[in-house]
Amino acid sequence: MALTLELVFIGIAVLFLISVIANKFSERLGVPALLIFLVVGMLAGSEGPGGIPFDDPAIAQLIGIIALAYILFSGGLDTRWDEIQPVLWPGIALSTVGVVLTAVLLGAFAVLVLGFSPLTGLLLGAVVASTDAAAVFSILRTARARLKGNLRPFLEFESGSNDPMAVLLTTGIIGLILTPGSSIFDLVPTFVQQMAVGGLMGYGLGRFTVWLINRIKLETEGLYPVLTLAMVLLVYGLTSVVGGNGFIAVYLAGLIIGNSVIVHKKSLIRFYDGIAWLMQIVMFLALGLLVFPSQLASAFVPGLLAALFLILIARPVAVLLTLLPWKMPMNEKALISWVGLRGAVPIILATYPLVAGVPNAELIFNIVFFIVLVSAVVHGTSIPSVARWLGLAAPLEETGKLSREFDVDPDTPSELLELVIPSDSSAVGKQVVDLGLPKGTLIILMQKGDERFVPVGSTVIGARDSLLILTTDEMMESVRACLLNCEERHDAADSPPLPENFSCMAIIEVDPDRAEPNQPVLFKGSATVSADCTATVSEMAWDFGDGATGEGETASHAYAAAGTYTVTLVVTLSDSTTCRATTDIMVCSADAPA
């Protein structure tokens, strides 16, 4: 059968479908996705059932660079600066000094044990010295690999920022091999230039992209992802042209954009989550196609020995030496040592010697590929277990499932916070009105099991409930403390008993003088008690999200869509007794008659 364009389309679609379906099974089996994608690529290659002929390392290198640029940008876009800031300097040290130490240690092993020449051994060490961002992001952002404290952002920052050093070492050593008489010290000024220019370009172009997104005011929301797709390539290309490292530039640009106020931010993050997965599949499939399984046999013994040395000695020693200036618990250092995932980046770097025509380049490529396979199997399947064993596994407290349905206006200080209530939280068993949330905080969506709904004041919080909360950045920690603290709960019997002969009435009306555009509505309320009750009203508050309080009467500025809502009025009597009244209210749009 002649090869037609339609058959090519079918082949590409089948490869993608197999990769996506296989990834579903990989999550259940605890196998990292990169391993599945590589195996699918190998099976589709010229020596597999697919029979696709592909042996061009230059094209594979180009695909890998483009894919890695988008993966790093997506990682930066979805990373919060307040998570990175506490681990910035140890992360930078590990992504620079740690990479050099790893390369030197593995290079020495390759010379002493595998019989490589000094420069060739150092080249092998440089190629596999950096951890892989795509692999680290995909594993650490799954529910089964949640880590305590700042470990996840630390490891993600290291994997996203250590590629420049590995690229510099690899290209520099290739130059030393092909240019006899040159000195390894020539790499120092080049590295400083690459990092400095890359950092400045990433920051500057990231700020420019934020300004452009917010000012261009495109008519169609779908054009904003197209705009950022172009900006990623522009950031990488311009940075490389002026002598900087494009990888660090795109990662920093993504970090700047993700931590800035921009329009359609949620949709951009969702879009790049899909782009990152697409790029991973394309990259690993292309690299898998480039491998000839029959050639891996000769690299089995040296590849296995090098992988074990890298996992058990080179990575741990490099981590311990690099992090000596920082006081860090030994179990955290042990976990950081273990999370040394090698993935697409080492394989991409292994194509550099092939393209340059370095002696023993094919052997280096096959050894590197074998190291990646071993790392994927050993590291990818064991990280959750090792984290639990070291006491560093964290429960799932936050998700992104509810917040994906909402966007916050970038012109307001509002932020969305999604929390899962722990079973030992003091909030469990309380009504929303009794949570004591900070003023200006509103629970806009709640999930109990499979049911999603907008909670009211009388809604009772249960263990493992998911809450989507509208608040501000300044109040986030207060909200977390209010909902996630695990203090001992007071028994309901401790509350003062309600008098039998009291009644309470709530009156709510729309105030047209205070109504503003975009559906803000003002409510007024009052409360009375029956004549035979000895107590009088001393204080009352509405539960409609903003926590307004006042004596006898209160005004609540509630931002709500038009519809019918149940509002709870909390009334405190002069004898300190607290009672509640609930009423249904109709919220009208601002231009509707009161």
Side-chain angles (χ1 to χ4, degrees):
M1 180 183 297
L3 185 64
T4 63
L5 183 62
E6 289 78 11
L7 290 177
V8 172
F9 287 169
I10 292 173
I12 294 174
V14 169
L15 285 177
F16 279 10
L17 288 172
I18 292 175
S19 299
V20 172
I21 295 172
N23 180 61
K24 179 64 177 180
F25 287 102
S26 75
E27 293 177 357
R28 295 181 179 179
L29 299 175
V31 178
L34 70 93
L35 182 61
I36 299 294
F37 300 152
L38 284 173
V39 171
V40 171
M42 293 171 63
L43 293 175
S46 56
E47 293 187 354
I52 300 176
F54 183 73
D55 59 354
D56 192 330
I59 295 179
Q61 184 184 104
L62 177 62
I63 293 173
I65 290 174
I66 295 174
L68 186 59
Y70 283 109
I71 291 170
L72 289 172
F73 180 80
S74 174
L77 190 68
D78 201 26
T79 300
R80 294 186 63 88
W81 171 247
D82 57 357
E83 295 178 341
I84 293 295
Q85 196 170 11
V87 298
L88 180 63
W89 293 113
I92 291 176
L94 195 57
S95 64
T96 53
V97 178
V99 170
V100 174
L101 288 175
T102 303
V104 171
L105 290 170
L106 187 58
F109 175 82
V111 172
L112 298 175
V113 178
L114 303 182
F116 281 60
S117 65
L119 283 179
T120 305
L122 189 58
L123 176 60
L124 174 63
V127 168
V128 296
S130 67
T131 56
D132 183 70
V136 171
F137 289 165
S138 63
I139 289 180
L140 295 188
R141 294 188 177 185
T142 59
R144 65 186 186 89
R146 295 273 172 171
L147 304 178
K148 288 183 178 179
N150 292 319
L151 284 172
R152 181 186 64 80
F154 179 89
L155 291 165
E156 290 186 355
F157 177 70
E158 180 215 357
S159 66
S161 60
N162 62 12
D163 297 329
M165 177 60 84
V167 172
L168 175 63
L169 287 177
T170 300
T171 55
I173 295 170
I174 290 175
L176 295 178
I177 294 174
L178 299 179
T179 310
S182 54
S183 172
I184 195 170
F185 295 103
D186 296 336
L187 301 180
V188 176
T190 305
F191 167 74
V192 174
Q193 174 187 316
Q194 289 255 320
M195 294 295 289
V197 175
L200 290 174
M201 292 291 289
Y203 179 83
L205 291 174
R207 288 295 182 193
F208 172 75
T209 304
V210 171
W211 176 86
L212 182 63
I213 291 174
N214 288 333
R215 295 296 184 275
I216 196 170
K217 298 189 184 301
L218 299 172
E219 296 296 331
T220 305
E221 180 181 347
L223 287 176
Y224 285 94
V226 179
L227 174 65
T228 54
L229 284 173
M231 289 305 300
V232 172
L233 296 180
L234 185 64
V235 170
Y236 182 89
L238 282 178
T239 304
S240 300
V241 166
V242 299
N245 187 277
F247 291 130
I248 193 69
V250 295
Y251 179 74
L252 283 178
L255 190 64
I256 294 296
I257 297 169
N259 286 272
S260 301
V261 177
I262 59 173
V263 298
H264 307 303
K265 185 175 180 179
K266 287 290 182 181
S267 62
L268 282 175
I269 292 177
R270 288 195 297 267
F271 173 79
Y272 274 98
D273 184 46
I275 287 293
W277 277 108
L278 175 63
M279 293 296 105
Q280 285 190 61
I281 293 174
V282 171
M283 179 171 59
F284 288 123
L285 285 178
L287 296 175
L289 288 171
L290 190 62
V291 175
F292 293 90
S294 61
Q295 298 178 3
L296 292 179
S298 60
F300 178 82
V301 174
L304 180 61
L305 292 176
L308 293 177
F309 181 83
L310 178 64
I311 293 171
L312 300 177
I313 298 177
R315 168 74 176 181
V317 171
V319 169
L320 292 177
L321 291 178
T322 304
L323 297 181
L324 277 177
W326 291 274
K327 294 181 179 180
M328 187 178 294
M330 186 55 66
N331 62 338
E332 292 188 3
K333 291 182 179 180
L335 185 64
I336 293 170
S337 301
W338 189 252
V339 186
L341 280 155
R342 269 62 188 177
V345 173
I347 301 178
I348 294 171
L349 293 181
T351 63
Y352 282 60
L354 288 173
V355 175
V358 173
N360 295 319
E362 291 186 359
L363 178 60
I364 292 175
F365 182 87
N366 291 329
I367 291 177
V368 169
F369 194 87
F370 197 88
I371 290 174
V372 170
L373 290 180
V374 174
S375 176
V377 172
V378 174
H379 287 134
T381 59
S382 63
I383 288 176
S385 301
V386 172
R388 287 192 296 270
W389 180 65
L390 293 173
L392 296 172
L396 179 62
E397 293 183 351
E398 297 190 28
T399 68
K401 296 179 180 179
L402 299 180
S403 57
R404 291 174 184 170
E405 307 301 324
F406 294 88
D407 284 312
V408 176
D409 188 344
D411 294 327
T412 68
S414 300
E415 295 284 346
L416 287 176
L417 175 64
E418 185 171 350
L419 298 174
V420 176
I421 304 299
S423 57
D424 55 353
S425 169
S426 60
V428 175
K430 288 184 177 181
Q431 292 182 331
V432 171
V433 70
D434 295 327
L435 292 176
L437 294 174
K439 183 177 180 180
T441 300
L442 177 65
I443 302 176
I444 60 176
L445 192 62
M446 183 173 179
Q447 178 168 337
K448 282 181 176 288
D450 295 330
E451 182 185 4
R452 294 183 180 182
F453 56 92
V454 177
V456 296
S458 57
T459 302
V460 177
I461 303 296
R464 310 308 301 165
D465 286 352
S466 296
L467 305 180
L468 183 60
I469 304 160
L470 184 66
T471 182
T472 63
D473 188 60
E474 293 78 11
M475 292 192 296
M476 276 195 177
E477 290 307 315
S478 298
V479 174
R480 290 175 186 271
C482 183
L483 294 175
L484 299 182
N485 73 82
C486 301
E487 298 174 357
E488 184 178 356
R489 295 190 295 272
H490 297 289
D491 195 289
D494 296 337
S495 301
L498 295 177
E500 296 181 359
N501 59 343
F502 104 100
S503 63
C504 184
M505 178 176 63
I507 303 173
I508 304 174
E509 60 184 17
V510 177
D511 185 350
D513 296 332
R514 289 287 302 275
E516 300 172 6
N518 301 323
Q519 298 177 336
V521 199
L522 184 78
F523 299 93
K524 290 183 177 180
S526 61
T528 60
V529 293
S530 57
D532 56 350
C533 182
T534 58
T536 59
V537 175
S538 63
E539 190 177 279
M540 52 184 287
W542 291 106
D543 171 40
F544 208 99
D546 63 1
T549 59
E551 292 188 7
E553 184 174 287
T554 185
S556 175
H557 201 187
Y559 293 82
T564 302
Y565 296 85
T566 300
V567 175
T568 301
L569 175 64
V570 182
V571 179
T572 303
L573 304 182
S574 57
D575 61 358
S576 298
T577 301
T578 300
C579 56
R580 298 179 180 86
T582 59
T583 181
D584 289 335
I585 58 165
M586 179 72 70
V587 178
C588 303
S589 60
D591 55 356

